Amino acid sequence: MHASRHARRACHAPRPHLGLGLRPAAHTGGRGLASYRESREAYTEHIERLPETVQQKRLVERLKAGDCPSPPVYFNTYASPPRPMDQKVEELTLETAGLSREDLLTSLDAAFATCCLHVESRIAALVGEGFYTIGPCGEELLAPVGLALRHDDPAALHYRHVAVAIARQLKSGKSMEEVLLDRARGYAVSTLDPVTSGRHCAIGGGTSDFIVTSTLASQ
């Protein structure tokens, strides 16, 4: 399967502009993207040792090599616990799943963007520019849920919300750049964050969305 439209670009090495992108340096007392890039360069060796960075590089290598396990191999090797593949999975097609090709590509875009945001949030925290790094592995798979929801369906998937929210935003016509910058602002608790204006790291902000955040203790 070909990589999705944004995924082929987004899944290469973590890019500095995914981290903050908050505002021009002139409006931050000299701090901005240039500052973040410099911090990243100063921490290059530490960044390369982050588990998230290591796993992302492995993923990119496997995608480039076409090393994507078939469903039977996945179920027998990677599923927990390993088990024979369900016959319904083998017979599943886009049509039977109720998905169009465009839906599939949007789901992949949201999934890869979620993965890249998790990695970059860890890097931003490492260099002292980000303040929220909870990244539950596997939530990328929930991106199709965002497509199944109507635009006015409220949703609050605690710690399983990023891919769903991104898919909904892309479906609504929001650009990938806007989505990534908004999440980066949330991780950095920026006053430009459209959800909380820097009060906390949360996700939501739509007219029908619940505001999803971490535990009450952190508020």
Side-chain angles (χ1 to χ4, degrees):
M1 182 181 297
H2 294 293
S4 65
R5 298 158 295 188
H6 302 287
R8 282 176 287 188
R9 296 193 300 268
C11 225
H12 289 193
R15 298 173 296 174
H17 77 270
L18 290 184
L20 295 181
L22 304 180
R23 61 177 75 182
H27 298 290
T28 58
R31 296 194 58 78
L33 280 178
S35 164
Y36 184 60
R37 291 191 180 102
E38 291 169 1
S39 296
R40 258 178 143 272
E41 291 174 1
Y43 280 82
T44 297
E45 293 185 9
H46 299 281
I47 291 171
E48 290 178 350
R49 292 198 295 268
L50 281 175
E52 292 82 3
T53 303
V54 172
Q55 290 301 322
Q56 187 185 52
K57 287 183 177 180
R58 288 176 179 173
L59 172 62
V60 172
E61 290 170 359
R62 291 185 63 178
L63 290 175
K64 286 181 176 180
D67 181 18
C68 301
S70 63
V73 172
Y74 173 83
F75 276 88
N76 287 321
T77 308
Y78 299 101
S80 182
R83 58 192 183 276
M85 185 182 69
D86 190 309
Q87 185 66 25
K88 293 181 179 179
V89 175
E90 187 173 10
E91 299 171 353
L92 192 64
T93 65
L94 286 178
E95 183 177 1
T96 58
L99 293 171
S100 66
R101 181 177 182 276
E102 187 68 19
D103 289 335
L104 176 62
L105 291 175
T106 299
S107 295
L108 288 171
D109 287 343
F112 278 102
T114 299
C115 175
C116 290
L117 281 167
H118 288 333
V119 174
E120 197 66 33
S121 71
R122 292 288 293 125
I123 294 173
L126 176 68
V127 303
E129 298 281 5
F131 308 97
Y132 196 84
T133 63
I134 297 174
C137 297
E139 72 167 302
E140 294 88 348
L141 296 175
L142 290 176
V145 173
L147 301 183
L149 295 172
R150 295 170 300 190
H151 74 279
D152 56 352
D153 281 334
L157 303 173
H158 192 56
Y159 287 145
R160 292 293 184 274
H161 53 275
V162 176
V164 174
I166 290 177
R168 295 183 78 179
Q169 291 166 352
L170 293 175
K171 181 181 178 181
S172 72
K174 200 169 185 178
S175 72
M176 179 63 80
E177 182 178 5
E178 289 180 286
V179 171
L180 296 178
L181 286 176
D182 283 348
R183 289 311 308 137
R185 289 160 177 154
Y187 291 137
V189 198
S190 165
T191 57
L192 299 181
D193 172 25
V195 182
T196 71
S197 299
R199 296 178 182 86
H200 193 62
C201 182
I203 195 167
T207 54
S208 300
D209 288 341
F210 290 110
I211 301 299
V212 179
T213 183
S214 55
T215 59
L216 292 175
S218 71
Q219 299 181 46

